């Protein structure tokens, strides 16, 4: 069990650029979640996959955000035309089923300049 | 008003002290999580509970569904317990990961 891994750990980008983050969940986990956390706040739910199906999206996920999990394993979160307000820690978590604990990655910290 | 409120926001304790962190919520829930976040961002799930009490080592979590309140207790606190503790609830009928998070309680345990 190597845990949930996220790449990159840090990303600095200029406003207007596109960025993509990757999450590799624990291998046998079919559920995968993305969250966003700004400084001094608790995380906020963004979206949820069960296998390759995206089952739920928060209204926080504007049309500039897209998430995929094409083969039901790793997932990517893309932000197009980044804005300074997108600066945050983006956290990924996975779980085996609805009654199992969530396992979090260490997050990707995005800074938009 | 936030749907999940934690108190205190910040807590400083001496090593060995008994610590209590409180979480109150305003929605009907199917589960409540206690999470630990260390500097740098990594989050560890401590407990997931829907009733009663759970214990793991020096950590105890309780929940009172009628009063919409949960507490996290740390016995014999140690400097390595220093972290942000976050309460999160799953809205009744919501998916497991669609959690509503509190802002966290920052705990600092001094040697």
């Amino acid at each position: 069990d190597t845990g949930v891994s996220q790449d990159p750990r840090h990303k600095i980008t200029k406003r207007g650029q596109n960025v993509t983050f990757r999450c590799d969940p624990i291998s046998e986990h079919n559920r995968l979640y993305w969250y966003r956390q700004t400084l001094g706040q608790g995380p906020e739910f963004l979206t949820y996959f069960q296998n390759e199906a995206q089952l739920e999206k928060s209204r926080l996920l504007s049309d500039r955000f897209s998430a995929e999990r094409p083969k039901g394993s790793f997932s990517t979160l893309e932000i197009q035309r980044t804005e300074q307000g997108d600066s945050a820690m983006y956290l990924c978590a996975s779980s085996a089923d609805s009654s199992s604990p969530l396992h979090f990655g260490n997050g990707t910290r995005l800074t938009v300049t | 008003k936030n749907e999940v409120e934690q108190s205190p926001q910040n807590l400083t304790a001496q090593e060995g002290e008994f610590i209590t962190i409180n979480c109150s919520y305003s929605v009907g829930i199917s589960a409540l999580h206690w999470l630990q976040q260390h500097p740098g961002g990594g989050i560890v799930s401590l407990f997931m509970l829907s009733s009663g009490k759970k214990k793991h080592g020096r950590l105890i979590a309780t929940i009172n569904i009628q009063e919409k309140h949960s507490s996290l207790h740390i016995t014999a606190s140690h400097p390595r317990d220093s972290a942000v503790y976050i309460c999160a609830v799953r809205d009744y009928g919501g998916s497991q990961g669609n959690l509503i998070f509190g802002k966290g309680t920052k705990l600092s345990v001094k040697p």
Side-chain angles (χ1 to χ4, degrees), chain A residues 9 33 35 37 41-43 45 48 56 89 91 95 97-102 104 106, chain B residues 33 35 37 40-45 48 86 90 94-99 101-103:
Chain A
R9 287 298 311 275
Y33 313 89
Y35 302 92
Q37 185 178 26
Q41 303 296 315
F45 170 78
Y48 152 54
E56 196 168 352
M89 175 76 84
L91 293 159
S95 69
D97 53 50
S98 62
S99 60
S100 299
L102 296 174
F104 285 82
N106 286 326
Chain B
H33 297 250
L35 308 168
Q37 186 170 33
I43 293 178
V44 174
S45 177
M48 183 171 72
I86 301 172
R90 187 198 327 176
S95 68
Q96 182 203 16
N98 190 345
L99 301 175
F101 294 81
K103 291 185 178 182

Side-chain angles (χ1 to χ4, degrees), chain A:
Chain A
D1 178 359
T2 56
V4 177
S5 62
Q6 292 188 245
D7 184 67
R9 287 298 311 275
H10 303 274
K11 178 70 177 178
I12 300 173
T13 191
K14 292 186 177 178
R15 190 163 50 112
Q17 298 294 304
N18 299 344
V19 294
T20 300
F21 311 139
R22 177 178 170 126
C23 171
D24 286 88
I26 292 172
S27 59
E28 62 268 25
H29 286 185
N30 59 27
R31 293 164 184 244
L32 186 146
Y33 313 89
W34 285 99
Y35 302 92
R36 181 175 69 187
Q37 185 178 26
T38 53
L39 206 60
Q41 303 296 315
E44 298 170 296
F45 170 78
L46 292 178
T47 190
Y48 152 54
F49 289 86
Q50 185 165 329
N51 299 312
E52 65 275 8
Q54 188 174 19
L55 296 187
E56 196 168 352
K57 289 171 62 172
S58 163
R59 56 184 177 273
L60 291 174
L61 217 64
S62 76
D63 56 5
R64 296 185 299 105
F65 287 71
S66 62
E68 294 183 341
R69 195 182 182 197
K71 297 180 180 177
S73 56
F74 73 91
S75 176
T76 57
L77 178 68
E78 180 183 17
I79 309 174
Q80 295 183 325
R81 305 181 303 281
T82 52
E83 302 173 357
Q84 286 188 316
D86 297 330
S87 296
M89 175 76 84
Y90 289 85
L91 293 159
C92 175
S94 70
S95 69
D97 53 50
S98 62
S99 60
S100 299
L102 296 174
H103 294 257
F104 285 82
N106 286 326
T108 293
R109 184 171 295 284
L110 172 66
T111 302
V112 182
T113 61

